[in-house]
Each structure stands twice: as C-alpha cells, then as structure tokens.
Amino acid sequence: MNDSTPSETAPRVLIAAFQGWSDAGDATSEALQHLIKLQKAELLHVIGGEGFVDLQLQRPRMYRDEDGKRTIDWPDTRLYGTVHRPGLPAPTDVDAGEADAITRIDGTPVHDLFFLPGYEPGRDWENFADEIVELAEVWGVDLVVLLGSMYSDAPHSRPIITSVSAESPELRERYGAERSDYEGPVGIVTAIEMALETATIDSLALWVQVPHYVHSAPSPKATLAILDKLEELLDIVIPRGELFAQATDWESNINRIAENDDDMTRYIRSLEDARDEALAAETTGDALAAEFEKFLERDSRGAAGTIREDGAAGELGESSELGQGSEQSDQPGQDPDPGEQQR
C-alpha cells in the first residue's frame, strides 16, 4: 500500500478500462461498472465512438426505454464522476454510512474518483489518446489508473496474479510498481499511457491474468483481484457485493467441468504445479537470499558488521511475507504480445 494520504489532500484519480483486446474475460469492464454503481457516479462527458470505433466490429445495441421508445446505445467512451452541487450534500456524504459505499480507510466518503469505461478504438488512436489527456486536464486529475486483463496460463484455482507498472521512478517507489521491459504489439492502454506521460500526468497500468482455458465471461475472480489491488493502491475500501459468491460459483463450475474431462484435469494440475513451484522458489530461494543480503548490508553499516540472531530471524520472517506476495510481479504491466497469449 502506498503512504496514507489524508482525505482532504487525496489525489483526484481517474480509473479507465476499454472493452476489446485488453479486457480478457470482461474483468476490467466489470470492475469499472461495479465501481460506478457503488459510487452512484453520474455521466459527465461522452467521447463519441463513431469517429474511433469500427461499428462493424463493435455493433451498436438497440433497446427500448421505460416509455417503450427504441433507443440505440452507441459504443461511446463515457466519463463518470461524483457531482457536488452547491447547497446540497455530496451523494457520498449521504451514503457514507451504508455498507455499499466506497470510503477511505478512516471511513470518510470518497469524492475524487472518476471512471472511464470505453471501447478500444479501431482507428485514430493518437487523437483518441489526446481526448483522454484533455479530459484528465479539464477535470484536474492527478493520477490515471489504466486497467487491463490478459489471457494467461494461470490456474483458476490459485490466486489471480496482478501486476502494476509505471515509467516514473517516483511512482514506482510510491506504489510499489515495476518498470515494464516489454517490447512488441500493444493496445490502446499503452498508447494512452504514453500520451499521459508526454503531458506529465501520472499514470499506473494495472494488469490481471485470466485463465485462458475459461472461455466464459465475466470472470468475477479476476474482477475481485482488480478491486483488491485498487484498494491497496488508493487507500480506499471497496465493498464487493455479490462478487465473492459469484467468484465461488465461477470456480466451482470450472471444477465440475474439469471433473468430466481427464485432459483438462491433467492440464490444470500441471498449471497448479508450475505456479506452486514458482512461488516456492521465490519464497525460499532467491527472494530470501536477496533479503538476507540487504539485511547484512544494513547491519554492517549500523552495527560494525555484527549479526544478532534475533535481528536476523526478524528479517527472514519479513522476507518470507514478501516472497509470498512476489508472484504479482512476474508479468509485464503493459499490453502483452498477443502471440504469446494462449486462448
């Protein structure tokens, strides 16, 4: 978790996700819709999709409104946020005591979150990214968190892996992010990230892995992993609603399918073994050795090279916890090479 920030000086944060290539299992779009509903966020701005989206790939949808009138829902990108009207309490003030409200860790309401669900454009990416940058500037956004989900050889029965990346060394230190060394094909998330960097607007890329052998959507377990990481990054409390039950049902359904398919069962077990072995190696091998070397370095500076047994034990205990969480850093924080994704 980053250093706690008082509510009155909390950064204004925009969380963005785009349906398409960077939304495996609908994990990011479902996370954003969950947050918008909790926040009771209102529509603030629309970036029309017709100039950016290929409508033959992202078909508009027709539905009937409450009066029975036909309406077309275009694949637009929409900005949502909390509107505080003069003379009236902010919606989050009214709802802060409810169990389904987003709050700070100290229980105070959150006013400074914006949400941007949209669709990956089929054309004109640079202008689309510039539109996002302009929105961030107009609404005084301090930090943009770009969400992405990728298909991966991740077992559904293990904790979902997340990774956070940032180009800025200061942001990496503040949020415990990594610097991505990925080179290759990218999606709109990376294009927006680079446009924000040019405009000197802070941004993080938060990616989550989705088991490639699960073809149904949504993927509530991956959505939960995104919300867990957002809580950690932003020092907020996000109610989960029905997501825990949905994630349990999702995992149980996959288990039932695998029980009737010997090949699938063997394949999932091989993924579980690989994950467990990788985690064990990180926990008991290189990660512990690196932490112990740091301890020796600090001790030699502070105590003339002496090593206290109780101090060493304390350092090893801390490093064990770090090793357990280190599985979240083994993936790039940017758009993966689609050729490496297993669907």
Side-chain angles (χ1 to χ4, degrees):
M1 183 177 295
N2 60 299
D3 296 336
S4 183
T5 307
S7 298
E8 61 271 19
T9 59
R12 293 166 68 84
V13 179
L14 170 63
I15 305 172
F18 302 93
Q19 293 184 35
W21 190 68
S22 60
D23 189 27
D26 294 348
T28 66
S29 52
E30 287 291 317
L32 215 51
Q33 291 303 322
H34 182 78
L35 294 169
I36 291 170
K37 183 178 180 181
L38 286 175
Q39 192 73 354
K40 296 179 173 61
E42 299 183 44
L43 180 64
L44 303 177
H45 184 82
V46 176
I47 299 176
E50 192 168 2
F52 300 107
V53 177
D54 185 340
L55 298 182
Q56 291 184 328
L57 296 178
Q58 295 287 352
R59 292 281 179 176
R61 295 181 176 272
M62 190 276 288
Y63 67 96
R64 293 189 182 273
D65 61 19
E66 295 177 355
D67 299 325
K69 183 180 179 181
R70 293 195 304 171
T71 303
I72 292 181
D73 182 20
W74 298 96
D76 299 328
T77 296
R78 299 178 172 96
L79 177 69
Y80 293 87
T82 302
V83 177
H84 188 182
R85 295 177 175 84
L88 296 175
T92 45
D93 285 335
V94 176
D95 302 329
E98 297 183 5
D100 61 348
I102 303 174
T103 64
R104 299 288 170 197
I105 292 180
D106 61 6
T108 57
V110 175
H111 302 294
D112 39 36
L113 289 179
F114 298 88
F115 312 101
L116 190 72
Y119 297 81
E120 182 173 67
R123 62 179 74 88
D124 213 359
W125 280 21
E126 289 185 328
N127 282 334
F128 183 81
D130 288 342
E131 293 252 17
I132 306 300
V133 170
E134 184 176 350
L135 278 181
E137 291 174 339
V138 167
W139 289 93
V141 169
D142 301 303
L143 174 69
V144 178
V145 182
L146 297 158
L147 305 181
S149 56
M150 70 181 85
Y151 285 111
S152 168
D153 55 354
H156 73 281
S157 53
R158 295 294 185 266
I160 296 289
I161 289 179
T162 59
S163 63
V164 181
S165 69
E167 279 296 298
S168 162
E170 293 80 8
L171 289 179
R172 293 200 296 271
E173 181 177 359
R174 188 187 313 165
Y175 292 100
E178 301 284 331
R179 182 180 184 273
S180 174
D181 294 325
Y182 172 76
E183 295 181 347
V186 298
I188 191 60
V189 166
T190 299
I192 294 172
E193 189 179 9
M194 294 178 66
L196 291 166
E197 182 184 358
T198 300
T200 65
I201 298 174
D202 289 345
S203 68
L204 300 171
L206 166 57
W207 283 86
V208 63
Q209 293 187 12
V210 177
H212 71 86
Y213 54 86
V214 181
H215 301 293
S216 60
S219 302
K221 190 172 180 179
T223 296
L224 278 173
I226 292 173
L227 299 180
D228 290 345
K229 199 64 181 179
L230 286 174
E231 273 193 338
E232 178 185 334
L233 292 171
L234 304 180
D235 289 333
I236 58 178
V237 178
I238 304 172
R240 303 304 197 273
E242 300 296 321
L243 281 172
F244 286 121
Q246 292 171 7
T248 299
D249 291 342
W250 177 84
E251 188 167 334
S252 297
N253 288 336
I254 299 170
N255 289 338
R256 280 195 292 270
I257 295 171
E259 286 174 0
N260 299 316
D261 188 328
D262 292 340
D263 289 338
M264 184 175 182
T265 297
R266 284 192 293 271
Y267 179 66
I268 292 173
R269 284 176 181 168
S270 70
L271 296 181
E272 292 171 341
D273 291 343
R275 171 67 63 81
D276 295 343
E277 288 174 8
L279 180 57
E282 290 173 357
T283 304
T284 60
D286 294 341
L288 288 178
E291 286 300 313
F292 189 65
E293 286 176 7
K294 291 179 184 177
F295 167 74
L296 292 177
E297 233 175 86
R298 288 194 296 268
D299 196 81
S300 64
R301 290 196 300 266
T306 60
I307 302 176
R308 301 183 305 277
E309 291 184 3
D310 57 342
E315 287 291 319
L316 287 174
E318 291 177 8
S319 64
S320 178
E321 292 181 6
L322 290 173
Q324 291 176 5
S326 64
E327 68 169 339
Q328 294 188 354
S329 65
D330 65 352
Q331 289 293 326
Q334 289 182 275
D335 304 15
D337 185 340
E340 295 176 1
Q341 295 184 28
Q342 301 181 53
R343 304 229 175 220

